[in-house]
Amino acid sequence: RASKILSDIQKRGTIRIATVAGNPPYSSFKPDGTAEGYDIDIGNEFAAALKVKPEWLVVDSPGRITALQTGKADMTVANFTNTLERSTAIAFTRPYLIVGSNYMVKKESKLQTVEQANKPGIKVAVPRGGTGEGICTATTPNAEMVRFNTVTDAFLALKSGQVDTQILDSLQDASFLAQEGGSFRNLPG
C-alpha cells in the first residue's frame, strides 16, 4: 500500500496532508487560509523532499486516522501521540517532539492542584479523540470531562468560564500562556 500511495502522490504532484486546525503552535490557519505552525512546517518539508506541493486537509482529532483509512489523506501531521491502540490502525514515524501534559486554570481559580480538580462539579475540557481524554480519566475520574473539537475550542471554553480547567500538552500550554499573559496558570500535580 505504501508504494501505491507514493506512486499516487508523484502522479498527482501533491501530497494530501491531514492536520488539525485551531491547534497552535502545531497547526492553525490564518484568515486568508494560509496554514502555519510546527506541524505545517514539517509537512511542507516532507512535500519539498518529495518535490510535490502540499495539499492541506483539515480534520478533527478522530479524523486524523479516518482520513488515512479512507484514502482522503496520504499522511497526517497533527500533534499525534503514538499509542498502542492507534498503532494497530496506522503506521507512525519516529516522534519529532516529546511533551508532557498540564491542567490549566484561570489565574483567579480556587483550584490549586490537580487533586482538587478530581471531584464532582468540576468540568475538565479536553479535545475530542486526543490523549487528554485518557489523562482526564486517569487523573480526575470524579470530574466531568467536557469534549471539544479542538484545543482552541477547549481554551475558549476555559476563558469564558464554561469549564474549570483544561488539559493540554506542555507546548500548547506555553503557547496559550505566552499569548494570554498573566490570565492563566497551571496546576501542579
Side-chain angles (χ1 to χ4, degrees):
R1 175 144 161 84
S3 61
K4 175 159 177 20
I5 293 170
L6 182 57
S7 174
D8 290 347
I9 290 167
Q10 291 168 333
K11 285 178 189 171
R12 275 194 318 267
T14 62
I15 183 167
R16 300 168 304 173
I17 306 170
T19 196
V20 177
N23 196 21
Y26 299 103
S27 54
S28 58
F29 289 80
K30 296 178 185 176
D32 69 0
T34 305
E36 64 181 350
Y38 192 66
D39 288 344
I40 304 304
D41 293 343
I42 290 170
N44 287 337
E45 288 295 322
F46 198 92
L50 293 176
K51 296 180 174 67
V52 296
K53 293 184 186 276
E55 181 182 322
W56 293 99
L57 171 67
V58 176
V59 296
D60 59 8
S61 292
R64 298 174 298 185
I65 291 176
T66 305
L68 295 170
Q69 291 176 320
T70 60
K72 290 182 178 181
D74 302 309
M75 70 182 293
T76 295
V77 185
N79 181 27
F80 208 175
T81 303
N82 182 349
T83 65
L84 181 60
E85 180 183 2
R86 291 171 178 167
S87 68
T88 64
I90 60 171
F92 283 90
T93 63
R94 280 184 245 134
Y96 56 86
L97 182 66
I98 304 211
V99 295
S101 293
N102 295 321
Y103 279 73
M104 180 189 285
V105 295
K106 286 182 171 182
K107 186 176 183 178
E108 68 273 7
S109 173
K110 292 179 182 174
L111 296 174
Q112 297 299 315
T113 66
V114 171
E115 292 77 22
Q116 290 176 349
N118 186 25
K119 60 184 177 185
I122 299 296
K123 294 181 180 180
V124 181
V126 298
R128 183 177 284 110
T131 52
E133 291 178 337
I135 293 166
C136 184
T137 299
T139 58
T140 51
N142 296 315
E144 178 186 347
M145 184 185 328
V146 183
R147 294 172 177 90
F148 293 88
N149 287 333
T150 68
V151 172
T152 299
D153 291 342
F155 179 72
L156 292 173
L158 175 62
K159 192 173 183 176
S160 68
Q162 296 173 38
V163 297
D164 301 293
T165 184
Q166 173 188 10
I167 298 174
L168 63 172
D169 80 36
S170 55
L171 188 59
Q172 294 163 327
D173 176 79
S175 176
F176 283 119
L177 289 174
Q179 291 172 3
E180 296 292 331
S183 300
F184 297 89
R185 59 182 170 81
N186 293 326
L187 295 178

